């Protein structure tokens, strides 16, 4: 069989399926190629920026069916059948080997809670990827995207004039001619590797190994902070929960249907064993309070052990093809940066492919490549600095505020309609912020950690969330912080107030 389409997309994860939906609804013919489901995928935690990008994509491309997926309250009301987890912010707990968790370490809080929303209705979400990806694929099929599954590309000839793919299916081999092909295969990066491109190692981040599964009966750590319940910005486990250890960190993401995604991200040179079960047991045994959370937990399937070598494809686009950021850069999920970066890639490629009828010129693809590389590089540098201070609560809290300040500043400007076009990730397109961050991260990379006062002085012009105020580890999402910082946005108090009302920040909707 020989077939034709405007765009072929390899991989029906959320990025590939979403891009297929957008392009088809705007008139391009699309073939979506998937090797097979069901599958487990990490990268489940959205952020306010991810939700805002998804909301803007829905509005820009007239896809109202995406809007319920952008807030926890809307999601629960519109899709009670679709598993989801509530994410009110980022929670961090610091542990020491052989000791039960204690609320203070070396005179500093052994916890950090940074809220992303003031109430549950507009909270962010954890995406249960098997269901979430399948839902977006179903939307694409409903829009008349052609779908091949199971199907594996085995050869590709890519030129500016078009693409020729050979694909293996259960019914036999077939060929597909397209004007453009998108590699949405994630870390597999099938097309890029097939074309002879290879990733470069990242010097900013350590080589790691991820060990993970989905579990039932994982306990919550809320009780650890019971003595400060009146100061909680949210229930501590209603978040992306990070347990920071000497050899790496653990994540815990709770879904509403009783399943918990959990895993370890460990430095490769500090692995206690070479098989996942022994490694998992050994690490948990070193940290009694973390082990207690998993005392009754049972995995839904065997633990997986995946090497994670930080890398970057510098050749991520060219005549006739492009990669999504999810495959172009392998970083670290510490701050849930993967999903918003992928959504930006989807948004940018959708605009290019629609504007140029699936044949974008070389200069447009070069600009896509440049922007994507810059964002991946800047994100890697920040994550690398956090890895260097992973087991130091005071220093980690300071450096993490580079992320939280940039994210909240950008989120606020988007909500107030102050951004035009597709915004850069965090503040990677803001010259003043990049200059400040570069100076701090360069010093940290050389082992010269800036003093706290220097970090806070750098953050102050961008702080719209009260991050420069010492709040003893608890940072709520408060309207007064945004109003007090309106001159930094810049916006009038009236504009800020109206924006907070529009976004649902001020009044809780029923969940």
């Amino acid at each position: 069989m020989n077939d034709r389409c405007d765009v072929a997309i390899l991989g029906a994860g959320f990025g590939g399926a979403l891009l297929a939906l957008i392009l088809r609804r705007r008139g391009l013919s699309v073939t979506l190629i998937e090797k097979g489901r069901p599958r487990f995928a990490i990268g489940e935690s959205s952020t306010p920026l991810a939700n805002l990008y998804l909301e803007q994509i829905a509005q820009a491309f007239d896809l109202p069916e995406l809007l319920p997926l952008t807030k926890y309250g809307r999601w629960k009301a519109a899709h009670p059948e679709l598993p989801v987890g509530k994410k009110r912010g980022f929670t961090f707990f610091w542990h020491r080997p052989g000791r039960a968790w204690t609320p203070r370490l070396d005179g500093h809080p052994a916890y950090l809670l940074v809220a992303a929303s003031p109430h549950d209705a507009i909270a962010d979400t954890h995406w249960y990827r098997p269901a979430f990806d399948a839902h977006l694929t179903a939307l694409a099929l409903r829009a008349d995207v052609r779908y091949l599954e199971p199907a594996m590309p085995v050869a590709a000839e890519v030129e500016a004039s078009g693409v020729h793919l050979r694909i293996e299916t259960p019914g036999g081999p077939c060929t597909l001619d397209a004007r453009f092909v998108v590699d949405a295969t994630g870390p597999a990066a099938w097309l890029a590797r097939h074309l002879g491109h290879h990733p470069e190692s990242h010097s900013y981040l350590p080589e790691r190994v991820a060990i993970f599964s989905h579990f039932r009966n994982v306990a919550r750590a809320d009780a650890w902070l019971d003595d400060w319940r009146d100061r909680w910005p949210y229930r501590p486990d209603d978040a992306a929960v990070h347990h920071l250890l000497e050899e790496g960190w653990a994540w815990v993401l709770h879904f509403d249907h009783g399943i918990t995604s959990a895993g370890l991200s460990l430095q490769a040179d500090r692995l206690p064993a070479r098989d996942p079960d022994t490694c998992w047991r050994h690490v948990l045994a070193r940290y009694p309070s973390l082990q207690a959370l998993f005392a009754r937990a049972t995995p839904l399937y065997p633990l997986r052990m995946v090497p994670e070598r930080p890398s970057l494809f510098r050749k991520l686009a060219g005549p006739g093809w492009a990669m999504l950021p999810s495959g172009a850069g392998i970083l670290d999920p510490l701050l849930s940066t993967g999903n918003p970066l992928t959504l930006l890639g989807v948004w940018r490629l959708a605009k290019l492919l629609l504007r140029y009828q699936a044949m974008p010129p070389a200069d447009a693809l070069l600009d896509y490549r440049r922007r994507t590389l810059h964002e991946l590089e800047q994100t890697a540098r920040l994550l690398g600095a956090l890895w260097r201070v992973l087991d130091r609560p005071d220093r980690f809290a300071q450096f993490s505020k580079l992320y939280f300040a940039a994210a909240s500043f950008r989120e606020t400007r988007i909500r107030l309609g102050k951004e035009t076009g597709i915004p850069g990730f965090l503040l990677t397109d803001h010259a003043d912020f990049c200059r400040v961050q570069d100076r701090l991260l360069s010093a940290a990379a050389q082992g010269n950690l800036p003093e706290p006062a220097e970090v806070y002085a750098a953050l102050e012009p961008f702080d719209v969330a009260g991050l420069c105020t010492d709040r003893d580890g608890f940072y709520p999402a408060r309207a007064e912080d945004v109003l007090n910082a309106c001159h930094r946005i810049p916006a009038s108090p009236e504009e800020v107030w109206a924006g907070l009302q529009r976004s649902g920040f001020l009044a809780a909707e029923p969940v």
Side-chain angles (χ1 to χ4, degrees):
M1 180 183 69
N2 195 330
D3 209 346
R4 295 179 179 276
C5 65
D6 292 320
V7 180
I9 300 174
L10 307 180
F14 83 85
L18 177 59
L19 181 58
L21 172 64
I22 295 168
L23 298 178
R24 184 69 196 107
R25 287 286 281 272
R26 285 303 185 97
L28 295 183
S29 58
V30 182
T31 300
L32 184 59
I33 301 164
E34 169 57 43
K35 67 180 181 180
R37 301 176 191 273
R39 64 167 181 269
F40 170 69
I42 54 177
E44 299 153 309
S45 197
S46 78
T47 62
L49 277 176
N51 284 345
L52 284 168
Y53 294 157
L54 187 57
E55 189 171 71
Q56 289 181 296
I57 286 169
Q59 293 165 349
F61 299 107
D62 192 22
L63 294 167
E65 60 267 47
L66 297 178
L67 291 174
L69 304 176
T70 63
K71 290 183 174 67
Y72 179 76
R74 291 175 180 172
W75 185 317
K76 294 292 284 185
H79 294 291
E81 80 291 350
L82 193 62
V84 66
K86 186 196 306 176
K87 181 180 178 183
R88 286 286 308 279
F90 285 84
T91 296
F92 301 89
F93 292 112
W94 279 267
H95 298 255
R96 290 291 182 262
R99 293 168 50 185
W101 183 84
T102 56
R104 300 197 80 79
L105 285 175
D106 304 322
H108 301 284
Y111 56 86
L112 175 65
L113 280 73
V114 182
S117 56
H119 54 79
D120 290 355
I122 63 168
D124 302 314
T125 50
H126 302 312
W127 301 341
Y128 184 64
R129 289 287 301 278
F132 184 72
D133 293 8
H135 178 72
L136 290 179
T137 300
L139 292 178
L141 295 183
R142 210 173 298 159
D144 201 28
V145 168
R146 183 171 178 235
Y147 187 51
L148 300 180
E149 180 201 356
M152 281 289 293
V154 294
E157 299 170 16
V158 181
E159 300 175 352
S161 58
V163 180
H164 183 74
L165 292 169
R166 284 197 294 116
I167 303 163
E168 290 289 344
T169 73
C174 64
T175 60
L176 177 66
D177 291 320
R179 291 183 173 187
F180 198 90
V181 60
V182 176
D183 187 342
T185 61
W190 182 88
L191 181 63
R193 295 179 194 276
H194 182 79
L195 295 177
H197 305 303
H198 302 284
E200 296 179 7
S201 297
H202 249 311
S203 58
Y204 305 123
L205 287 160
E207 286 199 14
R208 305 175 316 282
V209 171
I211 303 168
F212 54 88
S213 186
H214 280 157
F215 297 81
R216 292 196 184 277
N217 301 317
V218 176
R220 295 172 63 98
D222 297 334
W224 296 359
L225 291 171
D226 258 350
D227 289 347
W228 294 270
R229 185 177 287 268
D230 60 336
R231 298 184 58 194
W232 288 1
Y234 52 84
R235 290 185 68 193
D237 262 71
D238 287 349
V241 183
H242 306 69
H243 298 275
L244 305 184
L245 319 171
E246 279 192 349
E247 57 270 74
W249 62 282
W251 73 82
V252 176
L253 310 175
H254 295 288
F255 294 99
D256 290 357
H257 63 321
I259 290 175
T260 298
S261 171
L264 298 169
S265 181
L266 306 175
Q267 293 187 59
D269 59 0
R270 299 197 61 175
L271 285 183
R274 292 298 168 184
D275 69 280
D277 293 286
T278 304
C279 196
W280 181 269
R281 289 194 302 269
H282 184 94
V283 172
L284 261 60
R286 278 170 51 83
Y287 300 96
S289 297
L290 183 58
Q291 185 178 42
L293 297 180
F294 289 87
R296 297 178 57 246
T298 54
L300 272 64
Y301 35 76
L303 287 162
R304 290 185 60 187
M305 192 174 199
V306 178
E308 294 191 325
R309 296 179 178 89
S311 59
L312 186 67
F313 278 91
R314 295 202 173 273
K315 184 69 173 177
L316 57 87
W321 73 283
M323 303 174 73
L324 287 182
S326 52
I330 306 304
L331 306 181
D332 185 276
L334 185 61
L335 293 175
S336 305
T337 53
N339 289 345
L341 282 166
T342 295
L343 288 168
L344 279 176
V346 167
W347 193 354
R348 288 173 180 146
L349 280 179
K351 288 198 72 171
L352 280 181
L353 293 170
L354 290 169
R355 179 180 179 184
Y356 296 105
Q357 287 297 297
M359 298 188 75
D363 60 338
L365 291 169
L366 186 63
D367 184 63
Y368 170 78
R369 175 186 171 193
R370 179 186 61 79
R371 288 175 182 272
T372 303
L373 285 174
H374 178 61
E375 290 171 348
L376 289 169
E377 285 273 13
Q378 290 292 96
T379 304
R381 292 186 69 198
L382 176 56
L383 292 170
L386 291 173
W387 264 92
R388 290 184 189 94
V389 294
L390 201 65
D391 62 346
R392 298 183 58 179
D394 56 332
R395 291 300 199 175
F396 185 97
Q398 291 159 17
F399 272 101
S400 70
K401 289 177 182 178
L402 287 170
Y403 167 84
F404 292 119
S408 55
F409 187 87
R410 178 69 85 193
E411 292 155 18
T412 302
R413 283 184 53 83
I414 291 173
R415 290 190 179 105
L416 296 180
K418 296 291 184 179
E419 300 287 354
T420 57
I422 302 175
F425 182 54
L426 299 175
L427 291 177
T428 53
D429 54 350
H430 193 297
D432 290 342
F433 186 85
C434 285
R435 188 162 46 250
V436 166
Q437 180 170 264
D438 285 347
R439 176 168 51 81
L440 295 175
L441 297 184
S442 295
Q446 295 166 13
N448 303 317
L449 293 178
E451 292 300 316
E454 188 178 0
V455 176
Y456 289 124
L459 290 179
E460 195 271 340
F462 308 95
D463 181 16
V464 298
L467 296 167
C468 290
T469 304
D470 183 2
R471 291 177 174 166
D472 198 35
F474 297 109
Y475 290 87
R478 306 193 317 175
E480 52 264 47
D481 288 326
V482 186
L483 286 164
N484 289 338
C486 61
H487 60 287
R488 294 173 183 148
I489 297 168
S492 69
E494 292 76 18
E495 284 180 294
V496 171
W497 189 255
L500 293 175
Q501 287 181 312
R502 282 195 309 272
S503 67
F505 193 97
L506 295 174
E509 306 166 5
V511 176

